[in-house]
Amino acid sequence: MKLLLPEFGLLIWTLLAFLVVFYILGKFAWPAIVKGLKEREQGISDALATAEKVKAEMAQLKSENEELLAQAREERAQMLREARDIKDKIINEAKDQAKTEANKIMTDTQAAIEQQKMAAITEVKNQVGNLVIEISEKILRRELNNKTEQESYIKQLANEVKLN
């Protein structure tokens, strides 16, 4: 039974050694360990705070990016509208210019036709005048005594003129 029960002196020395080690650990080791644990706890808490801060910044950046993206889409839509308006304006201006040119060409053509018509009428009048003069000359050169002969001669000359 001596093996199971230690002697009183051994107990005292063991207790004394334990108290010395406990005192040394309490004086030197525990403050360092507690300090290290507190520093680690502070580091973890700082890391968590930083992570939250980064998370908030990321959320803010995400919302800013979404705003920028929406703004860019709006600007793109605006540019497309402006381009479409400019295209329509250019097309309308080209149509108006083409209409103006067509009207000018039509007016010039009508004026040219009218001028040619007047020239043709003048030419016809000149030819009719020449024919009248020729007929009158022929009638006057031929002195006819009879009025019926004059009328028949005039009809004959008129028929000749129609044939030409």
Side-chain angles (χ1 to χ4, degrees):
M1 216 38 195
K2 255 184 158 183
L3 288 173
L4 293 176
L5 290 174
E7 301 237 351
F8 182 71
L10 181 62
L11 280 176
I12 297 231
W13 283 111
T14 306
L15 181 64
L16 185 65
F18 175 75
L19 289 175
V20 169
V21 169
F22 187 75
Y23 175 76
I24 292 174
L25 285 176
K27 184 78 173 171
F28 298 108
W30 286 114
I33 292 172
V34 169
K35 181 181 173 189
L37 287 175
K38 285 189 180 191
E39 286 176 359
R40 181 163 179 169
E41 182 182 354
Q42 184 65 34
I44 290 172
S45 122
D46 288 345
L48 287 174
T50 303
E52 286 295 321
K53 189 175 181 182
V54 167
K55 185 178 176 182
E57 287 177 5
M58 290 299 287
Q60 181 182 359
L61 286 175
K62 184 178 178 183
S63 67
E64 287 176 3
N65 284 342
E66 288 174 359
E67 288 175 15
L68 286 174
L69 187 59
Q71 186 179 9
R73 285 183 183 142
E74 181 63 31
E75 287 177 5
R76 183 190 70 178
Q78 178 80 16
M79 292 173 88
L80 287 174
R81 278 193 300 272
E82 289 175 1
R84 200 173 311 118
D85 291 344
I86 290 171
K87 176 192 79 163
D88 291 341
K89 181 180 175 186
I90 290 171
I91 288 172
N92 289 334
E93 286 177 359
K95 284 180 182 179
D96 292 343
Q97 187 176 6
K99 284 179 184 178
T100 304
E101 289 294 322
N103 289 337
K104 182 180 176 189
I105 290 170
M106 289 295 290
T107 304
D108 292 345
T109 304
Q110 286 176 348
I113 289 172
E114 189 66 31
Q115 192 176 29
Q116 289 176 359
K117 179 180 166 186
M118 293 304 287
I121 289 173
T122 304
E123 182 67 28
V124 168
K125 285 181 180 180
N126 287 339
Q127 286 180 358
V128 168
N130 288 337
L131 286 175
V132 168
I133 291 172
E134 284 179 26
I135 290 173
S136 297
E137 282 179 12
K138 287 181 182 179
I139 290 173
L140 290 175
R141 284 188 187 155
R142 186 173 178 199
E143 293 181 9
L144 297 174
N145 296 334
N146 193 350
K147 188 173 182 179
T148 56
E149 287 180 20
Q150 286 180 352
E151 287 177 5
S152 68
Y153 187 63
I154 289 172
K155 287 181 183 178
Q156 178 188 355
L157 288 176
N159 285 335
E160 286 177 11
V161 171
K162 288 180 185 176
L163 295 176
N164 289 338

